[in-house]
Amino acid sequence: MSQGYRGRNSTADRALDILLLFADDRLALTAGEVATHLGVARSTAYRYLQSLTSNGFLTENEDGGPGFRLGPRVLDLARLARKGVGLSGLARPVMRDLVRRTGHPALLTRRAGPAVVCLEREEAGHTLRLSYERGQVLPVNAGAAALVLLAWAPPGDLDELLAGPLPRFTDATLTDPDALRGRLAAIRERGHAVGRGELDPDVIGIAAPVRGGDDRVVAALSVAALSHRVPGTEVPRFVAAVREAADELSDRVRGAAGTG
C-alpha cells in the first residue's frame, strides 16, 4: 500500500531531490544545475523550481546572483521538526507501556498541512506491515490516527482539506466529503476513532487525541493490529488503553509546556 502511494508521487520525489542538493558549499541552485542532476531538460527543471518557489520552499536569489535559495517554508518545517522531536521524547515511554498493555504496535502521528506524518512507531513482539512507518507521510482521510487529527482540525483547515479529491486505498476508505464530515462528528462525540481496513486491509486501528496546554489537539496516539486479533468484545478494552495513554501523554505535553 505505502509503496503504491509513493510510486504515484514521482514529482514529489523530484522536489525532494532538488531540496537535498543544498549544502553548506551550495547555498543556491540554478536551473542548469538541477537539470544536470535530474537528467531532464532545463525547461523541466525550471518548472520544478518554480513550483517549489510558489509553495515557499525556495526563493529566487535576491542578492543579484543567479539561481534559487531555500525559502521560508523550510524554516517552518525545521521549527515543526524540533517540536516533533520533543513530542517524540515525551511519547516514547507512554508508547512502550501501551504496547505492553495491548501487545500491538503503537503509533504517534501528527498533522503537517494537508497530510499526516508518523513521528514514532513502537514495535510489539510480532511484525505488522503497515503504511504508517516512522517518517511516512500520508493523506488525512484514511486510518484512525489520521481521522482523529482531521476531526479536531480547525474548521477553515477542514474545509480546505476536504475540498479536493480524496484518495481511496481500500473499499472501506471514505472519500465522500459529506460522509467523512459525519464520521468526524461522531469521532469528536466519542473522543476516539476506530478504523477497520480503511488504509491497510485487514487492519484495525484505534486512536485518541493528544492535547497541548491550550487543549488544542497536537497529535494522535494509536495502536494497530490485524482485525482477527482483536475481536469485537476486546475493542472496548483497547479503546480504554489508548485513551488512557493519550491522556497521560497530554499531561506530559502540558507539563513540558509549563516548564518550557
Side-chain angles (χ1 to χ4, degrees), residues 98 101-102 221 223 235-247:
L98 182 58
R101 292 182 65 183
T102 64
L221 187 62
V223 294
V235 169
R237 181 174 70 84
F238 279 74
V239 167
V242 171
R243 292 186 61 152
E244 289 169 12
D247 288 345

Side-chain angles (χ1 to χ4, degrees), residues 15-35:
L16 289 173
D17 284 342
I18 293 170
L19 293 174
L20 291 173
L21 284 175
F22 288 95
D24 287 338
D25 58 351
R26 183 188 285 161
L27 298 178
L29 292 173
T30 66
E33 289 172 325
V34 172

Side-chain angles (χ1 to χ4, degrees), residues 102-107 126 128-130 195-197 200-206 222-231 238:
T102 64
H104 297 288
L107 304 144
H126 53 86
L128 178 62
R129 294 181 61 86
L130 294 170
R196 293 182 179 274
D200 294 297
D202 304 319
V203 170
I204 181 173
I206 299 169
S222 63
V223 294
L226 291 173
S227 295
H228 71 267
R229 290 178 175 265
V230 186
F238 279 74

Side-chain angles (χ1 to χ4, degrees), residues 17-60:
D17 284 342
I18 293 170
L19 293 174
L20 291 173
L21 284 175
F22 288 95
D24 287 338
D25 58 351
R26 183 188 285 161
L27 298 178
L29 292 173
T30 66
E33 289 172 325
V34 172
T36 298
H37 177 76
L38 297 181
V40 299
R42 185 188 180 93
S43 59
T44 300
Y46 190 75
R47 285 198 299 273
Y48 287 134
L49 290 166
Q50 284 295 320
S51 177
L52 286 166
T53 299
S54 67
N55 285 286
F57 290 99
L58 298 181
T59 183
E60 291 200 58

Side-chain angles (χ1 to χ4, degrees), residues 140 144-159 161-162 177-194 207-209 211 215 217 243:
V140 295
L147 293 183
V148 159
L149 295 170
L150 195 58
W152 277 278
D157 288 2
L158 183 60
D159 291 341
L161 291 167
L162 298 185
D178 291 335
L180 194 50
R181 286 181 187 276
R183 175 79 180 281
L184 298 177
I187 290 171
R188 287 192 296 271
E189 182 177 349
R190 288 194 302 266
H192 65 270
V194 178
R211 298 180 182 273
D215 210 38
V217 172
R243 292 186 61 152

